[in-house]
Amino acid sequence: MITMIIKYSEIEEQRIQGFKGGNGELVTRNFVDENNKIMLSHLKPGANIGYHTHEMNSEIILVLSGEGYFEYDDTTERVKAGDVHYCPQGHSHAFYNDRKEDLAYFAIVPEHHQ
C-alpha cells in the first residue's frame, strides 16, 4: 500500500548525536521509502549537521522556526523561518544552529535513480 499521508506523531522520534560528523543533537522523525526521505527535525542549540556531499540525491530544507546558517560551495548564508535551502545532487553543505533556541525544519531528500 502506498502511503499518501505521513503522520509524524506516529513515527518514533530519534535523537542523534553528531549527525553526519557534526556536533550536538539532532531530534528527528523520518519517513523513508525507496525514493525519498522526508524528515521533520529539530537541530538543538549550538548543534550542526556536518559537511557532506549529496552524491545520489538532492535535499530541500524548509526552515519552520529558529535561525541558523548553511555552508555550501565556498558560501555561508543565514536562514530563518520561511526560508528554503536547496542542495542539488553533487553538491555539499553543512547546517548550523548558532542560536539559543531549537531550529525546526522540514526536509525532503529525493533519490536520483540512474
Side-chain angles (χ1 to χ4, degrees), residues 8 67 79 94:
Y8 282 101
E67 293 184 33
V79 292

Side-chain angles (χ1 to χ4, degrees), residues 23-108:
N23 297 302
E25 185 176 50
L26 173 70
V27 179
T28 188
R29 294 175 190 263
N30 301 329
F31 171 84
V32 180
D33 68 13
E34 64 277 358
N35 295 309
N36 295 285
K37 182 186 282 185
I38 305 171
M39 302 165 281
L40 182 60
S41 304
H42 292 256
L43 196 55
K44 300 307 257 182
N48 73 289
I49 296 170
Y51 202 80
H52 61 284
T53 302
H54 284 268
E55 299 285 345
M56 297 301 295
N57 54 36
S58 55
E59 185 168 22
I60 303 105
I61 298 173
L62 168 63
V63 179
L64 300 172
S65 66
E67 293 184 33
Y69 66 95
F70 282 92
E71 290 180 350
Y72 62 93
D73 298 341
D74 300 323
T75 301
T76 299
E77 193 164 16
R78 292 211 60 85
V79 292
K80 63 183 181 332
D83 291 342
V84 174
H85 168 78
Y86 172 57
C87 184
Q89 182 179 6
H91 290 261
S92 303
H93 65 164
F95 192 14
Y96 297 83
N97 179 0
D98 60 348
R99 302 298 177 158
K100 294 181 179 175
E101 303 84 27
D102 282 9
L103 193 161
Y105 66 94
F106 180 77
I108 300 172

